[in-house]
Every structure is written in C-alpha cells, then in structure tokens.
Amino acid sequence: MSRMVGTVSRGIRAPIIRSGDDLSQIVPASVLEAAGEAGFSLHDRDIIAMTEAIVARAQGNYASVDQIAADVRAKLGGGTIGVLFPILSRNRFAICLRGIAKGAKKVVLMLSYPSDEVGNHLIDVDVMDEKGVDPYRDVLTLERYRELFGYTTHPFTGVDYVAYYADLIRESGAEVEIIFANDPRAILSYTKDVLACDIHTRARTKRLLKAAGAGRVCGLDDIMTAPVDGSGYNAKYGLLGSNKSTEDKVKLFPRDCQGLVEDIQKTILDKTGRHVEVMVYGDGAFKDPVGKIWELADPVVSPAYTPGLEGTPNELKLKYLADNDFAALSGEALRDAIKAEIQKKDGSLVGNMAAQGTTPRRLTDLIGSLCDLTSGSGDKGTPIVLIQGYFDNYTTE
C-alpha cells in the first residue's frame, strides 16, 4: 500500500529558556525525548527549528530603555529627531520609542498612512478616498488628521496608536509633534536628524533622505549595533526584530547563531545517524485576510539555517499534469504517469508550465511560516518545531 502521510509539523515542548542556557544540548534533547514519548523516529532531511526568542534569551541579548537612549543620543545628537515610519505595535516598537524619546529633546513622529508597513491600519482606505486625501502627496498635521478621521482604534487591540505613541514620548521627557506622510523627505521640513524605523524599505528610505540633504540619518538597524554600558546588541540588525521584554527592556534579535544550528545538526547526527536540517525562525511571512496585517515584523524570517535549506521549491503542479498532459488517464494509469513525470524532473523548473502556481518563495521563508503557525506566539510552550516529510513528493514511499 502506498504511503498516505505527507508533511507533518510537530510542536516540541522545551524547558523555559533562561540566559546562559545551552541550546545546542537542550534542543536535541527535547526533540529526542519527544520522539521517545510519542513513538516516532527521525529521518534524513527532517527539519528542526527553534524560535529566535529562545536563542536571544539564551544569549542574554537584551537592551534597556536607557541604553537605547544613550545610543540614539550619541548617533543623532539628542536634539530634534525625526522618527519615520514605525510600525504600530506595543510589543515591537513601544519600548524602543521610549528609549528614542529619552535620547531626544523633541520627536517629530511621522506615521505612514493609511497603514503602517506591516498592514496595521490607521484609517479606512474607503474613508480616505471619500475625504479626497492623496496618500502619495498629502502631508497631514495631527490636527488635520483628527479633523478628517477622528479617533480611530486598532480593530484587534483597541488602541489609538497616535495618542498612545504621543503619550509615550511625552512621558519619556521629550516634546512631540506628529505628522502623516509617505514620502520620507517630508520630514526634512522639520529636522535634518532622522531615525528611519521602517523594516523592509529602510535602505531606500535612508538613500532618499541622504540624497535630499538630511544631516544625520540612522535606521533601527544602526541603533544597538554594539554593546552600550554592558547591553546586548546585534551588529547586523540593531533594534530591528526586537520585542518587549519588560516595561524598560527589549529582547534583541539573536546574533551569531549560525554556529548553533550547525552544532545541533552535528549532535543529532552523532546521536541518531540522521542528517537533519536546522534553522532559527522568527515571524512567518503571510498576510491576515481580515486584519490585513502582514506578519513579517522581523528583518528576516530566518537569521540562521543549515545549507540544505538554501534555495526555493522545485516542484511540479500535479493538477496541471492531470488536467493537461494526462487528461485522458485516470486511476492507477494516471498515478503512474504522474510519478514517472516527477521522477524525470531534472534541474530548475523555472519557466516550465507544469511548475506554474507552485509557491515561488525561498524555502526558509516557507518553512519559517509553517513553524510560526505551529508554535504560535502565546502559551503553547513549543518553541521548537520538528517538520518531517517536507522534502518528500508523490513518489516517496
């Protein structure tokens, strides 16, 4: 009988990770204990993944509000700072904003509209159209924004982020002015010292600002790139990918974790004889159809992974083959013909009509999204995910 089970994704429970814990031992031990308890075995090309959160926690990679403030002050002068395009998030940005504000006399906060970069909406696009507002050109003051759109709250959190961010800045000791615009250069009418807080468009934002005559320009990826008064840091991503830890501290994105995934891969090979792939994952990359939120608030889905996870899927679309090449076949004849076609595929299928409709994304982004959905972000207690059968296809028995 043919094998009937394809890809399986399992959440694996682990101890609560603390600073200094050795994940190179904890992760393999947790997976092997789960395998013994649930009665499954590991196979070559299984995937073991762990959340970026436990990696950063084990590293002790944290920064306080005061440490962020010191770095912002050193790099942007401590005067009036333009803070551009932050995402609307209590978890992702609020504590960072407290640190930024403590490092400035005044913050000119420029919010993108109708939504932030990851899809959190400030205003309804239909209302924006009704009011005749052009988001590509119009720069709105806070007063004009309130006159047009009133006091809107986030549909899931119930927070008015405009008021919330303004209060955070004032409570941190800085003056605040809020404007709404989508051209980063609009900030230069208010200040020449700018902190670009966008994630995936940051390089373009900084390039446009510098070309338009800005003075000091940084991105979140330029803040906390080295230790400040004993803090954690991330040389590549800075504050990008950070999360709230306490009211006065953020957990930074993990750093230098390539060695960790390779160590775990070796440990599993030594203990089981199986060559698995290993990755660290953060946010998945997918969009909520109701809330319109694009999940990826981390700079990348996976900051570290073993070489076998490089590349993109190279798959044929079974329904295309069934409806076109083998439309006259059915039953076992159809099954055998499709299996033979899969076995014949060689090299890249780019441009092959039978591959159209397969997901053209990197493996790490696809697998990271599956892991993020499996582990969740709440109280499941499964920061490790084991995926089996991901690289199998219809011919695998």
Side-chain angles (χ1 to χ4, degrees), residues 3-271:
R3 190 175 112 188
M4 300 300 292
V5 176
T7 300
V8 175
S9 180
R10 288 184 172 92
I12 306 295
R13 290 183 178 174
I16 303 301
I17 303 302
R18 297 290 190 183
S19 178
D21 285 348
D22 186 354
L23 292 182
S24 68
Q25 297 302 313
I26 291 172
V27 171
S30 298
V31 172
L32 294 175
E33 184 178 346
E37 178 189 279
F40 62 83
S41 301
L42 296 185
H43 306 95
D44 289 337
R45 300 219 75 191
D46 285 353
I47 303 164
I48 296 173
M50 72 211 88
T51 65
E52 58 82 21
I54 64 170
V55 179
R57 286 172 64 85
Q59 292 176 339
N61 205 21
Y62 295 90
S64 71
V65 164
D66 288 337
Q67 289 163 339
I68 294 169
D71 208 27
V72 168
R73 195 179 300 114
K75 290 174 178 173
L76 288 164
T80 297
I81 297 174
V83 176
L84 263 64
F85 304 150
I87 64 173
L88 308 176
S89 173
R90 294 169 296 177
N91 175 46
R92 286 290 190 171
F93 189 69
I95 309 304
C96 294
L97 181 58
R98 287 187 59 204
I100 294 164
K102 287 191 76 170
K105 290 182 179 178
K106 179 178 179 179
V107 170
V108 181
L109 180 65
M110 192 169 101
L111 300 172
S112 58
Y113 73 96
S115 69
D116 70 9
E117 181 184 4
V118 297
N120 293 295
H121 274 67
L122 278 173
I123 56 178
D124 186 285
V125 291
D126 294 323
V127 175
M128 184 184 69
D129 292 341
E130 289 171 11
K131 301 291 186 179
V133 174
D134 183 348
Y136 297 102
R137 297 187 181 186
D138 293 344
V139 178
L140 307 178
T141 63
L142 176 60
E143 293 71 26
R144 182 60 174 158
Y145 168 82
R146 292 300 192 195
E147 177 187 336
L148 290 168
F149 305 110
Y151 291 77
T152 58
T153 60
H154 192 282
F156 291 161
T157 65
V159 174
D160 178 343
Y161 278 97
V162 177
Y164 177 59
Y165 278 0
D167 289 344
L168 277 179
I169 293 168
R170 292 190 192 97
E171 290 166 3
S172 300
E175 299 176 52
V176 60
E177 184 172 359
I178 299 179
I179 61 174
F180 303 81
N182 291 306
D183 185 336
R185 293 165 291 195
I187 198 67
L188 298 180
S189 298
Y190 300 81
T191 180
K192 303 297 183 183
D193 296 325
V194 184
L195 178 60
C197 298
D198 44 347
I199 306 163
H200 307 291
T201 55
R202 63 188 184 275
R204 178 177 185 268
T205 296
K206 288 190 277 188
R207 173 174 57 79
L208 290 174
L209 287 167
K210 290 174 182 177
R216 287 169 284 203
V217 177
C218 290
L220 285 181
D221 56 332
D222 300 308
I223 306 298
M224 303 309 301
T225 54
V228 175
D229 298 327
S231 73
Y233 67 97
N234 189 305
K236 185 174 184 180
Y237 295 119
L239 280 175
L240 287 178
S242 61
N243 292 86
K244 178 179 179 179
S245 175
T246 71
E247 293 301 326
D248 297 296
K249 186 168 62 175
V250 295
K251 176 195 65 59
L252 301 172
F253 209 50
R255 64 178 188 269
D256 304 328
C257 44
Q258 185 61 37
L260 173 63
V261 298
E262 293 171 0
D263 286 347
I264 292 172
Q265 183 182 58
K266 183 178 184 304
T267 297
I268 292 293
L269 181 62
D270 291 344
K271 288 182 177 295

Side-chain angles (χ1 to χ4, degrees), residues 200-388:
H200 307 291
T201 55
R202 63 188 184 275
R204 178 177 185 268
T205 296
K206 288 190 277 188
R207 173 174 57 79
L208 290 174
L209 287 167
K210 290 174 182 177
R216 287 169 284 203
V217 177
C218 290
L220 285 181
D221 56 332
D222 300 308
I223 306 298
M224 303 309 301
T225 54
V228 175
D229 298 327
S231 73
Y233 67 97
N234 189 305
K236 185 174 184 180
Y237 295 119
L239 280 175
L240 287 178
S242 61
N243 292 86
K244 178 179 179 179
S245 175
T246 71
E247 293 301 326
D248 297 296
K249 186 168 62 175
V250 295
K251 176 195 65 59
L252 301 172
F253 209 50
R255 64 178 188 269
D256 304 328
C257 44
Q258 185 61 37
L260 173 63
V261 298
E262 293 171 0
D263 286 347
I264 292 172
Q265 183 182 58
K266 183 178 184 304
T267 297
I268 292 293
L269 181 62
D270 291 344
K271 288 182 177 295
T272 69
R274 300 300 185 184
H275 183 88
V276 301
E277 304 297 343
V278 184
M279 68 182 287
V280 177
Y281 68 94
D283 273 348
F286 47 84
K287 184 173 181 177
D288 183 294
V290 176
K292 306 297 189 292
I293 299 168
W294 183 42
E295 179 71 9
L296 187 56
D298 286 326
V300 291
V301 172
S302 177
Y305 51 88
T306 49
L309 297 177
E310 191 66 61
T312 58
N314 195 49
E315 301 173 351
L316 295 169
K317 199 78 168 179
L318 298 193
K319 63 184 180 182
Y320 180 90
L321 293 173
D323 290 345
N324 291 273
D325 299 47
F326 307 121
L329 302 178
S330 62
E332 289 189 11
L334 176 59
R335 180 198 65 193
D336 293 343
I338 287 179
K339 285 186 174 182
E341 196 69 16
I342 292 171
Q343 289 168 341
K344 286 193 307 183
K345 69 180 181 183
D346 183 32
S348 174
L349 294 173
V350 173
N352 187 321
M353 288 297 288
Q356 67 178 355
T358 55
T359 308
R361 292 167 60 188
R362 295 187 304 177
L363 288 168
T364 50
D365 295 341
L366 291 165
I367 296 165
S369 298
L370 174 58
C371 291
D372 191 22
L373 289 167
T374 300
S375 62
S377 58
D379 58 8
K380 288 185 172 62
T382 56
I384 303 165
V385 175
L386 173 66
I387 300 173
Q388 299 186 291

